[in-house]
Amino acid sequence: MEAPLIKSKANVTNLGAVLLGQHVACDAYDEARPIRVVTHAHADHMVGLGKSLKKGEVTIMTPATKDMIDALKGPRFLSRGAVKTLDYGEEFTYGDETLTLHYADHILGTAQALVEDKEQTRILYTSDFRYSRTPRVDADILVMEATYGDPVRVRPFGMMAEGILVSLVEQGLKRGPVYVFGYHGKLQKMMRILYEAKIKTPFIVPEKIHRVSNVCEKHGMKLGKQLLPFDGEEAQSMLTQNEPSVVFYHSYSRKKINGEALQIRASGWEFRKPCRRVGANEYVVALSDHSDFNELLEYVERCNPRLVITDKYRSEAANIFAREIEKRLKIPAKAAPT
Ligand SMILES: [Zn+2]
């Protein structure tokens, strides 16, 4: 196929829409596209969703992502437009193009989106993903996340941070409540890690995190039976009496915390060590739901597409990553929007 022709089949717009084929816009509103796909329920992938619901023909997501959005924005939000849920692998045909969603290991419900057009060109958007548990989808054109697309963004310590999280929490519980901060989705992964490590103390959660956690459990994540609402009597009395419990807050939470209590923040932006002390009782652990540089590159190499587009709307490293792909893999690559 001619290079200019293949280039016209995918792009990322200035407003953040990932365009696949002729009809699909992923993760931001695009006025020319009848089909909107939401790959997962993180805010930077729900850009202009209200507008898509109002003006677009149909908005497509996995059933779990729909439940996540209902939990985060209230069930009335999505009822403003036509929403279709699509299971992983299920086909949706529009005109002469077929859309399928494929599993991605990121937060619950996350999907890679694949469009196959009438010339049988396979156009894939990976969305956000963690490589080790994300199946590779074959594609001719690959649109990639590039969050850690800079060669210095590697985590040689792998999964060590998970074990460190458990031992930090165990230590902190000897003194009373432990506070854990993270984003939606990652908080629930931390709950699962602690639950699997047999930490039996109650998990105290504000309302929104409680709702998201219930969705995760509905879709098969095991978080334990120990979730207590933050505003409830039981949780409040435990906290006033300094009883051991794990309190989960969103990263943006401004709630006041007793300075003696142990605080743990999960962050993907840690590359030197799996855990770093940042205050007397404060630690950052390197837990990420994204691939590091080596993993991103390995996905491209295995996929071996004819063209790669790196998402510059969501990743500052998109230019660097495109250059590295060309240099190391000899595959044409560009960052978009330019
Ligand atoms: Zn995300």
Side-chain angles (χ1 to χ4, degrees):
M1 191 183 309
E2 298 290 321
L5 181 60
I6 198 168
K7 272 185 186 152
S8 67
K9 294 188 179 199
N11 207 353
V12 185
T13 70
N14 288 324
L15 299 174
V18 177
L19 308 180
L20 306 177
Q22 301 305 308
H23 312 297
V24 172
C26 302
D27 293 353
Y29 173 69
D30 186 89
E31 58 180 9
R33 300 282 168 137
I35 302 169
R36 164 72 187 263
V37 171
V38 183
T39 63
H40 65 288
H42 276 152
D44 59 336
H45 297 260
M46 295 194 287
V47 181
L49 183 51
K51 236 177 178 176
S52 293
L53 290 164
K54 202 168 145 205
K55 298 184 168 175
E57 223 168 280
V58 62
T59 300
I60 295 177
M61 60 196 78
T62 62
T65 292
K66 180 178 182 299
D67 288 345
M68 289 286 268
I69 297 174
D70 285 346
L72 290 167
K73 292 184 175 283
R76 280 168 60 188
F77 181 81
L78 286 177
S79 67
R80 292 188 284 173
V83 171
K84 178 171 176 51
T85 58
L86 210 59
D87 285 317
Y88 295 122
E90 192 184 342
E91 290 187 348
F92 176 82
T93 303
Y94 189 96
D96 43 23
E97 293 185 345
T98 303
L99 166 76
T100 45
L101 303 179
H102 300 264
Y103 179 80
D105 178 29
H106 182 56
I107 65 163
L108 180 82
T110 305
Q112 309 179 70
L114 175 74
V115 167
E116 197 164 349
D117 71 5
K118 62 171 186 288
E119 282 124 5
Q120 270 118 46
T121 307
R122 291 165 64 88
I123 311 146
L124 178 74
Y125 169 44
T126 60
S127 189
D128 296 344
F129 70 103
R130 192 162 171 133
Y131 178 71
S132 54
R133 295 196 195 106
T134 299
R136 172 181 50 87
V137 178
D138 286 322
D140 302 294
I141 306 172
L142 179 60
V143 186
M144 293 278 290
E145 71 133 318
T147 309
Y148 301 119
D150 187 316
V152 299
R153 304 299 182 210
V154 290
R155 297 182 203 95
F157 41 81
M159 308 297 266
M160 262 171 77
E162 296 195 358
I164 292 173
L165 170 73
V166 172
S167 45
L168 274 177
V169 169
E170 283 169 342
Q171 289 300 313
L173 286 173
K174 292 178 186 160
R175 304 206 304 262
V178 173
Y179 292 81
V180 173
F181 295 81
Y183 291 105
H184 293 303
K186 199 187 278 186
L187 283 169
Q188 285 74 22
K189 280 196 180 172
M190 290 192 280
M191 287 178 199
R192 182 170 67 184
I193 293 167
L194 296 175
Y195 170 67
E196 283 173 355
K198 307 216 165 15
I199 287 181
K200 292 280 195 301
T201 45
F203 293 168
I204 295 177
V205 287
E207 199 193 332
K208 203 179 255 189
I209 296 172
H210 203 181
R211 287 201 303 265
V212 173
S213 305
N214 288 340
V215 171
C216 290
E217 291 202 292
K218 177 184 160 190
H219 288 272
M221 268 176 91
K222 298 250 184 307
L223 307 179
K225 298 261 176 283
Q226 60 232 61
L227 256 60
L228 293 181
F230 181 84
D231 293 319
E233 232 172 82
E234 199 179 342
Q236 283 306 311
S237 113
M238 289 189 77
L239 290 174
T240 12
Q241 288 169 54
N242 213 35
E243 283 179 43
S245 59
V246 187
V247 188
F248 291 86
Y249 282 146
H250 192 271
S251 294
Y252 295 148
S253 174
R254 292 277 168 269
K255 287 214 163 82
K256 271 223 174 77
I257 292 158
N258 162 13
E260 298 294 300
L262 181 69
Q263 297 180 44
I264 302 167
R265 289 172 193 278
S267 170
W269 290 96
E270 296 288 320
F271 303 99
R272 291 195 17 226
K273 294 190 285 185
C275 176
R276 191 161 59 92
R277 192 174 186 172
V278 291
N281 297 307
E282 217 177 323
Y283 292 84
V284 179
V285 289
L287 286 169
S288 178
D289 283 330
H290 290 266
S291 308
D292 71 6
F293 174 79
N294 291 337
E295 294 169 324
L296 286 172
L297 199 71
E298 196 169 326
Y299 190 102
V300 182
E301 189 173 17
R302 292 240 172 142
C303 184
N304 193 25
R306 284 186 279 167
L307 172 69
V308 181
I309 296 169
T310 56
D311 179 359
K312 197 173 154 188
Y313 179 83
R314 294 174 183 80
S315 339
E316 277 176 30
N319 282 328
I320 297 173
F321 189 46
R323 276 205 305 275
E324 293 297 326
I325 291 168
E326 294 206 313
K327 198 171 83 188
R328 298 180 190 219
L329 305 177
K330 315 285 180 236
I331 295 171
K334 63 161 190 173
T338 42

